[in-house]
Amino acid sequence: MAIEPYRLLLRLPGVRALLLVGLLARVPATATGMALTLHVAHGMGLGFGRAGLVTMASTIGMAVGSPLSGRFVDRHGLRPVLVVTTGAQAAFWSCAWALPYPVLVVAAAVAGLLGLPVFGVIRQCLAAVVPLEQRRMGFSLDSMLVELSYMTGPALAVAGVTILGGGPTMMIIAVGLTGSGLALILLNPPIRSAEELGEPVVRVPRRQWITPGMVALLGTVGAATFVLTATELALVGTMEHSGQTAWIGLAVAIWCLYSLLGGFFYGGLSRGFSPLLLIGLMGALTVPVGLAGGDWRWLVLALLPAGLLCAPALSSTVEAVSRWVPSGARGEAMGLHGTALLIGGAASAPIAGAIIDSHGAVWAFVTAGLVGVAMVALALPFWRRRPPVAEPVREQGLEPVTAT
């Protein structure tokens, strides 16, 4: 596939800086969960059970705070929200290492609520600076960069806690998040396009865009991360059971590479596909993966078809949100998208873990895939009831129409 379209995309004013800052900002953001877990489990010596409570508190805070931050961005602009959230992250991470456990649980929840909204903000601003005809490529490239940050952030957190200890690692995260917030404040990317800025500023009622179709979309977003989280746990469980633990890191990296390749090719297509089609296929292709257990190389090869759909599936949901929601509510909608991602991943981990412990990793692959397919089947009847502000764009696989 020609790389020239991507070069044209990066030549658009503001796109290159926005994506670069987004990549650098997401690395410390993706390191936070692992750093908290290892600090409580090993640094405080309280075990992984209590560490899970801290990360759960943080996750709940982020799930609630993500759409709230987006709504404040819609109403008051980007900089005020970034100033508050950057200050909150600097305060928490600079002293988290010294907090007693009960205080740490509460503080983690508050820090999650006031989390730096880097994921939603980057997507919201990307929709503003990239023309409609290039958004698929823009969101695909953004999904690829998110993949890179998730490959980097947790690994750096593990290395930091192992080599430097929990305290210094948390201080580094504090510096990274503070620097990320300051960079976004200085960059101050637009949250609406030039055409949208020329339109009258009006408050958009939620009932105008939170329709059955939008709820269905958010449900499939959660299903996608359910599939991905469960697949990762099942992959690790399968390789541990077969005594191939040393190759887990490489196997996960190859799986991530599949997603990067899929995102690259999907971004270059002239027409996109429905999120329902992509997520349904990803789920269906995940079901038989566990049958390739044994040699880890066969297992990784079996992950190829579903792996290629990871980034396209997620980027297609972001593109749908950007098309369906008016610019005056785009920040809140992107926040809800982030909440759906968090809920899907949070629900998947204990369910997949219980299945692996009781029935084996093969059934975790099956469950992950069937959940994705089932959610798509549930969403299908509501799919055509999309928000009335939707733009008339045709997708391959399923044809959305104007809301009734």
Side-chain angles (χ1 to χ4, degrees):
M1 178 179 293
I3 201 170
E4 186 61 26
Y6 283 96
R7 289 178 178 169
L8 294 175
L9 173 70
L10 293 174
R11 288 174 189 159
L12 293 174
V15 170
R16 187 177 302 179
L18 180 63
L19 291 175
L20 178 60
V21 170
L23 173 62
L24 297 178
R26 282 161 170 160
V27 171
T30 57
T32 56
M34 184 64 71
L36 275 176
T37 298
L38 295 179
H39 169 68
V40 175
H42 297 308
M44 301 178 74
L46 298 178
F48 284 97
R50 292 191 179 183
L53 290 177
V54 176
T55 55
M56 181 179 70
S58 176
T59 301
I60 292 174
M62 288 188 288
V64 175
S66 182
L68 290 178
S69 295
R71 187 165 180 81
F72 278 112
V73 169
D74 290 332
R75 287 189 173 187
H76 305 291
L78 186 57
R79 275 182 169 165
V81 175
L82 290 175
V83 168
V84 172
T85 55
T86 299
Q89 297 309 298
F92 173 74
W93 287 101
S94 61
C95 65
W97 59 273
L99 297 177
Y101 180 76
V103 178
L104 181 62
V105 174
V106 176
V110 175
L113 183 68
L114 297 175
L116 192 66
V118 60
F119 288 88
V121 162
I122 296 300
R123 289 162 180 159
Q124 182 180 8
C125 296
L126 200 60
V129 300
V130 175
L132 184 63
E133 62 273 10
Q134 291 176 282
R135 279 188 194 169
R136 180 175 301 108
M137 183 174 295
F139 288 132
S140 294
L141 184 55
D142 180 65
S143 292
M144 293 162 63
L145 296 178
V146 170
E147 194 79 57
L148 288 175
S149 68
Y150 273 104
M151 292 171 66
T152 306
L156 290 177
V158 172
V161 173
T162 302
I163 298 172
L164 303 175
T169 300
M170 288 183 170
M171 292 299 295
I172 293 173
I173 290 176
V175 172
L177 290 175
T178 304
S180 301
L182 292 175
L184 283 170
I185 291 171
L186 292 174
L187 184 62
N188 194 29
I191 58 175
R192 296 179 180 88
S193 67
E195 294 79 8
E196 292 164 345
L197 288 174
E199 300 171 356
V201 179
V202 295
R203 288 192 178 182
V204 183
R206 289 190 182 93
R207 65 178 180 275
Q208 182 177 336
W209 56 274
I210 301 184
T211 64
M214 175 60 71
V215 174
L217 173 63
L218 295 176
T220 57
V221 170
T225 51
F226 187 101
V227 173
L228 295 177
T229 302
T231 298
E232 182 177 12
L233 292 174
L235 173 62
V236 172
T238 301
M239 295 181 68
E240 284 185 344
H241 181 72
S242 58
Q244 301 175 94
T245 307
W247 299 103
I248 289 176
L250 178 58
V252 172
I254 294 173
W255 181 44
C256 292
L257 180 61
Y258 294 159
S259 179
L260 291 174
L261 291 173
F264 178 80
F265 282 103
Y266 182 73
L269 296 178
S270 58
R271 294 175 63 191
F273 292 88
S274 165
L276 292 192
L277 179 64
L278 293 172
I279 294 171
L281 281 175
M282 184 174 69
L285 292 170
T286 300
V287 171
V289 169
L291 298 177
D295 192 316
W296 70 273
R297 288 167 291 192
W298 287 111
L299 183 61
V300 170
L301 185 62
L303 281 170
L304 174 62
L308 289 173
L309 294 174
C310 294
L314 293 177
S315 66
S316 69
T317 63
V318 178
E319 184 185 6
V321 171
S322 75
R323 293 183 185 276
W324 289 14
V325 178
S327 61
R330 192 178 288 146
E332 185 176 4
M334 289 297 180
L336 286 172
H337 183 277
T339 296
L341 292 171
L342 287 170
I343 291 174
S348 179
I351 294 174
I355 292 173
I356 292 170
D357 291 339
S358 58
H359 301 290
V362 172
W363 288 104
F365 283 114
V366 173
T367 302
L370 290 180
V371 165
V373 173
M375 191 62 226
V376 167
L378 288 174
L380 190 57
F382 306 99
W383 193 247
R384 292 182 179 272
R385 298 174 65 185
R386 61 189 286 175
V389 295
E391 299 177 33
V393 177
R394 293 170 59 87
E395 295 173 327
Q396 294 182 22
L398 292 169
E399 295 290 341
V401 297
T402 304
T404 56

